[in-house]
Amino acid sequence: MLIRTEDHLTSNTMKLKKKKKNKQKQLKRGNIMSEKLKLIFQMFFYFATGLTLLIGISYFLYNQSHIKRTYKQIVQVTEKKPTFLIYNKSNTTEHLKHIFIVLERLGFKPTTNETQWDLLWSHEYPFIALAPILKNLQPHQRINHFPGCGYITNKGHLSTSEGRYIPKAFKMPKDKDYFLTYATLYPHKYFVKKSNSHRGIKVIKISDMNLTDTDFFVQEFIDRPYLIDNYKFDIGIYTVITSIDPLRVYVYKGDVLLRFCPIEYYPFDSNNLDKYVIGDDYRPIWEVPSLKNYYVHFGFSMKDSLDAYITSKGKDPQKIWSNIHEAIREVALMKEGQVKEAIQRFGGGRNYFELVRFDFTLDEDLNVYTMEANMSPNLSSAHYPPNQLLYEQVLFNLFALVGIGQRIKENNFETRNKLGYEMEVATKNLVVLPKFCANCKDCFVIECQLCNPCFTPEIKIILSQSYKEHQNKMDFQRIFPPSIVDGMELKDYTLRNQLLIRWYQGKCALDHTWCI
């Protein structure tokens, strides 16, 4: 019995062990299966995550590519370079070298398209050959000449005009009798014969003149010129007219062009033109001993070198510049009406500006005489390389003044929007005369037109251009409209000129920087 009991216990123990072992195997198999499932799940998770990441990266790259293409398209539109067209009859453009240089520095590119351009720079008078194009201008297009500018720059037109600073002149043969009477009254005077075609200048005896010839005029000769080191010279003043009716005129104050005769004036010989006629081969300032030290060694401008020399002689050079400014105003006002008539044949006058060089000579008492005004003045430094800086600075300041050399990076003039214009000049920049405008009830009163409720689109354009020119004038100085002085008679000017003068006076009252 005992043995059977032990056998029974042993048998049960074995069964329990076997059962436990089987359970352990089942648990082990379960653990293995669980590990496999876990591994499979992890693999699936990583795959799904990788796939999602791959899709996300692809989508991001697609978007970036799309954004880049869109940005490139926007940049191509907003950074479209402005263009300039050159009109030049000559077979060479060497004389326009600095025009190209300055415009390309300002971001312009040349074009040959005769209708799609932002600036037309013409070395010739363009209003005959290009008339069909210039009668249909867009507001953003600018041209470097006014229709009718020849009334100012034609030697015959200018010299035979009556002016305080213009030496007496006579058209031939029309004024023959008048000239002979005048010459009889002033037997001590010399006269010079000049061609209307800007060639042929010579002091000649009246008895040797053929007064029946055409295409020439006779002008009084300044026979006691102011000399430096015995050389006669003239003073070139770069002048810009930015508007006709109302008139706005600026002179370049950064420097002037001094040109000297190649040969000493005394002893005078009327047969030697190099003693008194200043041509292309003039003597430059750095070859005039009394001015060379100022200009070369100390680095002064031509204007400042001349001022220093005249001051050293005990005289006031300011008299010269004041009279020169008055002489330029005299010519501009004298010719304004004729230029205005020419402009009317080409629509409005807001597309034009004019760069001229007025040439003046002085007598022994520093009196100023207007000799000529040069359309498309020489801006080539090929003959005198040191003049390169002068020419490029004149052009750089010119383009800023007329709004071509922009301060802001928005060169597509054609597509500029309203907000861009308002950023440059808003209504608050234009309003003046607060006390007067507060009581202004009638827009037919001239001065009321300077009040915001009475602004017309045309007046707003005029004032906006005037405002921007003042902000951008850099080394140009406004000489018309002039500063208001006591006793000044506004009635001597056209109504539009009166209005603009009054506006500048109003700006001066609000801000003294507008007073000059």
Side-chain angles (χ1 to χ4, degrees), residues 156 159-162 168-183 211-213 216-218:
S159 297
T160 54
S161 301
E162 296 287 340
K168 191 74 174 175
F170 308 85
K171 293 180 182 179
M172 294 297 166
K174 176 186 173 183
D175 296 331
K176 173 185 172 182
D177 293 338
Y178 181 26
F179 165 62
L180 292 174
T181 301
Y182 186 85
L211 300 181
T212 61
D213 283 349
F216 84 99
F217 60 96
V218 177

Side-chain angles (χ1 to χ4, degrees), residues 324-390:
I324 281 177
H325 294 172
E326 181 57 36
I328 295 173
R329 282 193 292 267
E330 176 182 80
V331 172
L333 287 165
M334 185 189 306
K335 302 299 184 180
E336 181 187 18
Q338 293 170 302
V339 178
K340 178 184 173 182
E341 288 183 11
I343 288 173
Q344 290 173 345
R345 297 194 291 268
F346 288 84
R350 307 297 165 219
N351 299 90
Y352 313 111
F353 63 92
E354 189 82 38
L355 171 68
V356 300
R357 192 190 72 226
F358 277 88
D359 291 339
F360 298 92
T361 191
L362 309 175
D363 68 14
E364 292 175 347
D365 300 317
L366 297 185
N367 293 312
V368 168
Y369 297 91
T370 304
M371 303 313 297
E372 61 183 335
N374 299 275
M375 185 184 78
S376 298
N378 176 34
L379 295 170
S380 170
S381 63
H383 203 39
Y384 298 104
N387 286 345
Q388 174 180 342
L389 179 61
L390 169 62

Side-chain angles (χ1 to χ4, degrees), residues 89-261:
K89 293 180 181 178
S90 172
N91 293 326
T92 177
T93 59
E94 179 60 30
H95 57 296
L96 301 172
K97 172 184 174 181
H98 299 301
I99 306 291
F100 282 92
I101 288 175
V102 175
L103 284 172
E104 288 174 2
R105 284 174 184 165
L106 291 172
F108 280 72
K109 65 178 183 179
T111 183
T112 56
N113 190 316
E114 289 192 350
T115 58
Q116 301 298 315
W117 41 264
D118 296 293
L119 169 67
L120 169 63
W121 186 275
S122 175
H123 190 71
E124 324 292 339
Y125 184 77
F127 297 100
I128 298 175
L130 303 182
I133 298 171
L134 303 182
K135 286 183 178 180
N136 297 286
L137 297 174
Q138 299 300 311
H140 69 281
Q141 294 181 304
R142 304 302 301 273
I143 304 169
N144 70 317
H145 292 300
F146 277 97
C149 63
Y151 288 113
I152 296 173
T153 59
N154 179 274
K155 187 177 294 187
H157 273 295
L158 178 60
S159 297
T160 54
S161 301
E162 296 287 340
R164 289 174 53 203
Y165 299 92
I166 302 174
K168 191 74 174 175
F170 308 85
K171 293 180 182 179
M172 294 297 166
K174 176 186 173 183
D175 296 331
K176 173 185 172 182
D177 293 338
Y178 181 26
F179 165 62
L180 292 174
T181 301
Y182 186 85
T184 302
L185 292 173
Y186 301 97
H188 62 283
K189 288 185 179 293
Y190 287 83
F191 294 91
V192 61
K193 182 179 179 180
K194 296 184 178 182
S195 167
N196 290 325
S197 60
H198 294 244
R199 286 292 179 265
I201 302 174
K202 186 177 181 181
V203 171
I204 188 170
K205 294 179 181 180
I206 298 175
S207 59
D208 293 337
M209 291 185 187
N210 183 354
L211 300 181
T212 61
D213 283 349
T214 59
D215 196 37
F216 84 99
F217 60 96
V218 177
Q219 188 170 37
E220 187 177 332
F221 179 64
I222 310 304
D223 60 331
R224 295 184 301 106
Y226 186 84
L227 306 175
I228 298 179
D229 296 338
N230 203 25
Y231 294 109
K232 181 184 176 182
F233 65 97
D234 66 10
I235 304 171
I237 306 294
Y238 293 98
T239 304
V240 180
I241 302 173
T242 60
S243 176
I244 297 287
D245 189 41
L247 185 66
R248 292 194 300 275
V249 184
Y250 298 82
V251 295
Y252 183 64
K253 64 179 182 179
D255 207 350
V256 300
L257 179 66
L258 296 182
R259 305 182 307 166
F260 293 79
C261 286

